[in-house]
Amino acid sequence: QVQLVESGGAEVQAGGSLRLACTASTFTLKPYGIGWFRQAPGKQREGVACITCGRENGIAYGDSVKGRFTISKDDAKNTVYLEMNNLKREDTAVYYCAAEVATGWGPLAAEAYGLWGQGTQVTVSS
């Protein structure tokens, strides 16, 4: 099955850090823009960060994570990382990665993404 796989979710205290990883076993990520999204209970899915995405094949971050989260890509390991620092309770959510498969949308528009993973839970406690 063609799908992305997330890992690295955990429970962490506020102010702490986590690194999430997104990989695929059946295809290479290199040609794709890869995005991280999150969804908290009762809330809509939110774009967090993406790399080699959008019209400019650049990097984009959601406003709520700018300056705290960093996305990176290791082509040799076929993995995209999301480094999350200074975590806050409001970062608690299931985090998903997905591949950009459509054009004409903003870089963090979920409509442009497919091959979604199953998600990894991040819980930030006070």
Side-chain angles (χ1 to χ4, degrees):
Q1 186 176 1
V2 180
Q3 192 175 30
L4 296 171
V5 178
E6 306 91 343
S7 62
E11 182 169 354
V12 64
Q13 288 193 327
S17 298
L18 277 178
R19 188 176 76 163
L20 305 183
C22 170
T23 190
S25 60
T26 59
F27 66 99
T28 177
L29 301 183
K30 191 172 181 179
Y32 294 95
I34 300 295
W36 282 98
F37 297 80
R38 66 186 182 185
Q39 190 164 19
K43 295 189 176 181
Q44 288 189 329
R45 189 166 293 190
E46 174 189 9
V48 175
C50 65
I51 189 165
T52 56
C53 55
R55 191 167 50 186
E56 298 180 357
N57 277 339
I59 291 177
Y61 293 98
D63 288 342
S64 62
V65 306
K66 282 180 182 176
R68 300 188 297 122
F69 290 13
T70 303
I71 191 169
S72 62
K73 195 173 186 182
D74 186 334
D75 289 334
K77 294 184 178 180
N78 203 36
T79 301
V80 172
Y81 299 101
L82 184 68
E83 185 77 32
M84 307 186 294
N85 297 313
N86 190 22
L87 282 160
K88 304 176 181 180
R89 287 190 66 184
E90 50 264 42
D91 295 317
T92 295
V94 178
Y95 283 71
Y96 302 88
C97 65
E100 191 177 33
V101 296
T103 58
W105 300 89
L108 287 174
E111 294 88 345
Y113 288 80
L115 306 179
W116 292 85
Q118 293 298 309
T120 186
Q121 176 71 46
V122 172
T123 302
V124 183
S125 58
S126 58

